[in-house]
Structure formats: structure tokens, C-alpha cells
Amino acid sequence: MTRDVKTLCPYCGVGCGLIATTDGKKILRVRPDPLHPANLGRICQKGATVAQTVNVSTRLRYPMIRETGSTRPQVVPVGQAIDHAATHLRRIIDAHGPQSVAFYLSGQLQTEAQYLAAKFARACLRTPHVDSNSRLCMSSAASGMNLSLGSDGPPTCYADIELADTFLFVGSNAAECHPVTFERVKARIDKNRAECIVVDPRRTLTAEAAHLHIPAKPGTDLALLNGLLHLLRERGRLDRAFVEAHTEGWAELDAMLDQYSPQWVATICSIDESLLQRAADILGQASKLITFWTMGANQSIQGTFNTNAICNLHLALGQIGRPGCGPFSLTGQPNAMGGRDCGYMGHTLPGYRFVADADHRQQMESFWGLSPGHLPSQVGYDAVRMFDALSTGELKAIWIIGSNPAATMPRLSRVRDGLERAELVIVQDAYYPTETSRFAHVLFPGAVNLESEGTYCNSERCVTLMQPVAAPPGDAKPDWWWVRETGRALGFEKGIGFQTAEEIFDEFARSTAGRPNDQSGLYHKLLREKGPQQWPFPLMGKSTARRYQDFQFHRAGGRAKFWARPHLDNPEQPTAQFPLLLTTGRVIGQWHTRTKTGTVTQLNNNHPSPFLQMHPEDATTLGLEDGQRVAISSPRGRAFSQLKLEQSISPGVVFSPIHWNDLWARSASPNEATSDDVDPISKQPNLKCCIVNVTPDECVKKLS
Ligand SMILES: Nc1nc2c(c(=O)[nH]1)N[C@H]1C(S)=C(S)[C@@H](COP(=O)(O)OP(=O)(O)OC[C@H]3O[C@@H](n4cnc5c(=O)[nH]c(N)nc54)[C@H](O)[C@@H]3O)O[C@H]1N2
Ligand SMILES: Nc1nc2c(c(=O)[nH]1)N[C@H]1C(S)=C(S)[C@@H](COP(=O)(O)OP(=O)(O)OC[C@H]3O[C@@H](n4cnc5c(=O)[nH]c(N)nc54)[C@H](O)[C@@H]3O)O[C@H]1N2
Ligand code: SF4
Ligand SMILES: [Mo]
């Protein structure tokens, strides 16, 4: 007997609904859900092939333990693995205090697991050090929206796409990274219903589809956005009534904009001034503008400022709070929104609360039934500092759930050093091996989302319930289960002794009551019966498609804030020794470190191997040829790749995808070279812009 179950694609933040056919044990096939609001029957190549990634030989099926000094972990019974983890956690906490233990979580886990792990860390163990891979991803968008609009979480919904007449993409290659959302944008463009501008140093598939491509130099988006606002002001295109009624801080921004003349901005961005004028023509005509932004804008030392500048643009044009317009941060991972909702970043607590706010801590202490002052008041280490603190020995243990930092963090030599020095590394993953698993002392096998019940929240704040469509292999268990059992083995029962994912969700949802991301009216049964719902969704309430329709922003007085944000040059500028700028990113058919997509033949055929994209002019200067093996060196380290010469990348810039890492070939990851400089507010690393040199790979020379 087969049956169809509604579930969700586990890949990107578009959050496409799938219908999976199962025989009760295995997934037989998936097809797009015609009724899910994110995709309305659409699907991309990754979603379409997801069934092939579940029952593969590289799944981690059983727990394993590796004794210090040994290189090979051994399979052990579940109870022994849990006892081992608990015993060593207890020993480390007794000797060095709870603040010597860190948790590194992921936007690919279900909200239930994110919530329980973060609660266990803070409320049971009492360590402040909880962070997640969202630090590398959405952190700048979150901190920027907080400052400009008073709250994280975009105001918009996908249905706005069909109403908009102008799209601006800043540092987003949505055609490859959010393909289903981009299909909806493309349909508007193709019907001549909308104009589109793309800002990216590469002529990507997204840029190909646009009316205007602005190939600004990496790290210059803020100058560009300020320059566009300067021109729109000059042309009298601002919505002065909106600015007057609903915002504050205009005067300071107004004064700063004087400096951002098109001539100056064009020089900073290394573009022709006419591109700026043309962009201002398009934006000046817009009656409904959506700005999408992602990693090209977020992964910058000015990531928070970039988000502020995007919000400035929308506020100055009055393009927010109405159907069809608004700043629309596209979430990368499928449940980074859920993670932000439940406080899985170092500086946050559930319900968009902040660790640094004594009232917020007190609210959570009272909600969790803890005594006053129980929760750590220190803001925990952000991801980059977390691995540094393992290196210095300040942190002794780390529990990594659903992330592969030994491949995806900047400056990998530092990360490996930290993991090597740690006394205890627990890696909870669904696949094996990974670049990180070789450092693990304990390996816990996680069920993937298609095997466990739980929720994900997508880019438009829409919560979908997943129901298991396959049984987890071997001893694999839902991620929250490992946290609960290890907690029990440490003697904690109160606060983490949930029996089901549904119970965890209920508590999480209640914790958001009265907060900007209120979803206290949601529960699994409602999601199961009525389908996906967008927050805010208060108790006895209903789904909300758009926020700020009353123009009341989540700031004191209800006004949104303009921020005057000056452009700063990227800390690294090309030199004779390192003459190029390295930027990094993605291709459509691969997902991050390929633990899933690397198992699908069709996807590997489309994207078989790593490459370094370079403009032919640069290759001529450096005496390099297409297809040649090259070394990419930065002041921090060296990666190896194969050269791909293309006109579509700006001269002076090279691009490497992030998908192929140490398991592919030694030093294949561009993160050997990337910079661990961070945005001072969001602590997001500058993964999109560092100086490098590209030279022939000497090893190849020696061999030939
Ligand atoms: N196929 C696929 N899709 C994915 C993912 C995946 O691994 N594979 N991952 C998901 C995740 S977690 C995320 S965060 C998103 C990321 O989604 P995107 O941000 O769209 O993806 P990236 O390729 O990292 O970067 C986008 C573009 O930024 C450009 N860029 C580089 N530097 C700059 C700059 O300084 N300014 C500007 N304006 N542009 C710049 C790059 O050339 C690149 O084309 O994708 C999600 N979707
Ligand atoms: N240079 C550079 N570096 C980057 C980026 C960039 O653009 N440039 N992008 C950054 C961004 S935006 C992101 S989001 C990160 C992504 O970085 P990571 O999160 O480190 O990358 P993934 O390969 O997605 O790792 C997820 C891990 O979780 C496992 N997993 C999958 N599903 C489950 C599950 O259900 N349970 C458990 N327990 N495990 C599971 C996978 O097997 C995999 O090992 O990379 C960042 N690093
Ligand atoms: S667009 Fe994203 S969520 Fe939708 S099918 Fe593709 S990978 Fe999955
Ligand atoms: Mo991401």
C-alpha cells in the first residue's frame, strides 16, 4: 500500500511544498505540491531529486565513539554513545564551568530541535555559547532589519511578486539559489509586467534575465545604494509624506547623501556612471518595488549597513507596508527563519528577545520556571569567535548539530586547529563522513527532515509541518531526541523531558506570545489540517501575509528609522602580491558541502567538479590557460581548483563555488583562503571579498 504525504523540500529557504509517495518505510518519489503557497506546483532540480538522497550508503546509521589519539571511530550502542557524551560533558563542566561548552546549530534543523538544543544549553547547562550557521548567512539581514524596522523577519510575502512592477536584486543569484521564487519573478519579466535590476560582480543567470546588470566590484554595495538614493532624491522621486509620517532620522541621511554623487560612486564601484542613471530611471518609475538581497550583501564587513541602506531606499520611496512592495531578505537555509524565531543565535532568546536585555532574560526565566538570574547574561560567542575560543583552549567542548564547519567557516586552518584541540567534539549529522566528522569524539546519527515530524519556517515567515515519510535508518533518531537523552543522562529532566516534537513546538509557540514574531496560535494539528501558515499568528488569530500594513514599526513610537551609513573600503585591497579579489558562492545543482546533492548522479553530471571562474583578461596577464589546475593563495591559506575562463565575471574578480571541499580533494575549499573579518554589528564574516593570487598548481607541473 502506498500513500501520499504532504511535506517540504529540505533544501533552500523558498520552502517548497512536496507531496511524497511512501510505502510506509521508504520514500518512493516526490512531486511539487500544487497548493503550497511557496511553489504552487513548481519545483527545481534539487527538490525533484531529494528522494534519492535519503536511503544512501553515506547515511550515518549508528552512533560512534572515537577515543582520543585514535583516528577511527567505532560503532557503539546508543546508550553507550549517550553515556560517553554525558560523562565527558560532566567532567568538562565540573573542571572548567559550563561556559567551557559550546553549541553550534543549523538552519537545516527543525524548529523543535533548534529550540530544544538552545534551551538545553542555556537553561540546563547554563552556557551562553550557542550559535548557528545563520551567523554566516542571515545575521546581517537580521541585525539590519532590527535596526531599521525594529524587528527581524521580512515584511513581504511571495504573492507580492505577482503584484510588483520592479525588482532589485542585491548580491543574490536567485536563479540558481532560490530557483522557484525566481521563476515567479521571471514570469513577470517575460510578460513585460516588471523591470529588473541585478547587482552582482558576475553576469549570473539572474543577471541574464534582468533588464539591467550592474557589475559593481565586490564590497561596494553600500556606496551604490547610497548613490541610487542620492539620484532619486535629486530627481524628486522620494515619498516625502511617508517619510514625514512614518520614519525618523531622515535629516542625517539626507546630509550624508550629498557626498554620493554618481561620479564618485561609479569610481568606487568600478562601473560606468550611465548604469547608475539607468538604475535610477527604473527605480524612479517603480510603483511597486521589491528588493531581494542575500549573501553578496550580507557576507560583508558592512552587511548590516547594506540591509539598512536597502531599508532606507524602501522607506524613502514609501515602498513598504503595501501589497506588492518591500525589502525582501531571502532566507538561505530552509529553516533559518525558525531558528531565528526560537533564539538559536548567540545574542538572542526565543520570540525575538535579546540576551543583553535584562527584561527579556527575566521573561524567559519566568516562562521556563527558572529562578531570577539563572540564564547567562553574557552574550555567547559568535561562530567565528567560537572556533577561535576552541583554539585558545577557552572552550573545551563543542556539540555541532547539522553543520559542517570544517568546510564552511572562513579561514579553515583556524577552525581545524580549534577542533583538534577540543577535549570533546560531538557531531550530530545525518551523513558520514563529512569534513567535520573526522574531528568528532562522539557521532550521533540524526534523522533527516523527511524522516521526522517537525516544522520549518521559510523566507515569507510561513510555517509548514513535515510529517515523516520514511523510517530513519539504523539507530538514527530525530535531532531533538539526542538532546533530550543526553540531557537526561546528565540528570536533567525538568524543562527538556518532552515526549514528542509536537509538545516542544507548543512550548516554543507559546514563548512567542505578544512578541513581533507571535505564532502562539500555531500548533501541529492546525498545521496538519489547515496547511502552512504565516506569522504573526497570535492565539485565536489567523495567518498574516504582510507586516506593517498599519505603518506601525516595532520601534518605540512606531516609526521606522533611516540610518546614515557611510561606505568603507573593503579591508583588503589588491596588492602586487595578491592582485585579485576572490568571491565565493553557489551553483544551482549542488547544496553546500554536497552531503545530499553529491549522492545524486543527475546533479553531479550537471555540476561535476570545482572550478575557479576568471575573466580571460586576467588569465592573459597572469599567463594562465582555461582548464589549468591552479593554486589560489591568500594571506591565510591556499586552495586548489581548475580554471574556467569566462567573460561573465568582472576583470579583477575570481569566483569559486563552496561545494567541493576536503573530501573531494585536499584543500579544495575556497575557505582555506577566505577572510574571517566580521561585520562589527552582525558578526557575519566577510566571505565574499578577500585578496588572492592565482598561480599554476606546482604539483601538477612536477607530475607532468
Ligand atoms: N543551489 C543552491 N541553492 C542554495 C544553496 C546552495 O548551497 N545551493 N544555499 C542556500 C543558502 S544557505 C543561501 S545563504 C543562499 C545564498 O544565495 P545567494 O546569496 O544568491 O548565493 P551566493 O552564490 O552565495 O551569492 C550570490 C551572488 O553574490 C555575488 N557577489 C559576490 N560578492 C558580491 C558583492 O560584494 N556584492 C554583490 N552585490 N554581489 C556579490 C556572487 O557573484 C553571487 O552570484 O542560497 C540558498 N540556496
Ligand atoms: N566561502 C563561503 N563560505 C560559506 C558561504 C559562502 O557563500 N562562501 N556560505 C555560508 C552559508 S550562507 C551557509 S548557510 C553555510 C552552510 O554551511 P554548513 O551548514 O556547514 O553546510 P552544509 O553542507 O549544509 O552542512 C550541513 C550538515 O548537516 C547535515 N545534515 C543535513 N540534514 C540534517 C539533519 O536533518 N540533521 C542533522 N543532524 N544533520 C543534517 C549535512 O549532512 C551536513 O553535514 O556555509 C557558509 N560558508
Ligand atoms: S527552490 Fe528550494 S525549496 Fe524549492 S524545490 Fe528548489 S531547493 Fe527545494
Ligand atoms: Mo546560508
Side-chain angles (χ1 to χ4, degrees), residues 108 133-134 136-138 295 299 331-333 336 586 591-592:
Q108 295 167 63
N133 55 8
S134 279
L136 315 179
C137 183
M138 304 310 303
M295 294 312 116
Q299 292 170 339
T331 321
Q333 297 176 90
R586 293 153 169 84
W591 177 262
H592 297 166

Side-chain angles (χ1 to χ4, degrees), residues 12 46 137 170-174 176-178 199-202 204 218-219 221 294-296 332-333 583-588 590-592 659 688:
C12 82
K46 290 186 300 303
C137 183
V170 185
S172 156
N173 181 11
E176 299 208 53
C177 296
H178 296 90
V199 185
D200 194 307
R202 302 183 305 134
T204 56
D221 297 272
T294 49
M295 294 312 116
Q333 297 176 90
T583 195
T584 55
R586 293 153 169 84
V587 298
I588 187 168
Q590 298 290 359
W591 177 262
H592 297 166
H659 308 295
K688 287 282 188 270

Side-chain angles (χ1 to χ4, degrees), residues 40-85:
L40 303 166
R42 297 175 181 88
I43 196 164
C44 82
Q45 53 182 270
K46 290 186 300 303
T49 52
V50 70
Q52 297 169 45
T53 67
V54 177
N55 187 19
V56 290
S57 61
T58 48
R59 280 299 296 275
L60 177 61
R61 290 178 157 74
Y62 300 99
M64 293 198 261
I65 292 178
R66 179 177 64 86
E67 296 298 341
T68 308
S70 142
T71 52
R72 289 195 71 81
Q74 303 293 329
V75 170
V76 294
V78 170
Q80 190 181 333
I82 289 171
D83 279 348
H84 189 89

Side-chain angles (χ1 to χ4, degrees), residues 493-553:
E493 179 66 39
K494 190 170 162 272
I496 57 162
F498 299 97
Q499 295 304 313
T500 59
E502 188 167 5
E503 285 178 15
I504 305 175
F505 187 85
D506 284 345
E507 182 179 299
F508 153 68
R510 271 194 300 119
S511 78
T512 64
R515 300 293 308 156
N517 60 344
D518 193 338
Q519 44 205 286
S520 54
L522 293 181
Y523 48 99
H524 278 198
K525 184 159 174 281
L526 176 114
L527 295 166
R528 196 176 294 121
E529 289 171 0
K530 299 247 168 75
Q533 306 290 333
Q534 282 174 277
W535 64 253
F537 195 121
L539 203 60
M540 312 297 285
K542 59 180 180 49
S543 204
T544 311
R546 299 177 182 89
R547 302 169 80 196
Y548 310 131
Q549 295 219 74
D550 56 0
F551 305 119
Q552 286 300 302
F553 296 93

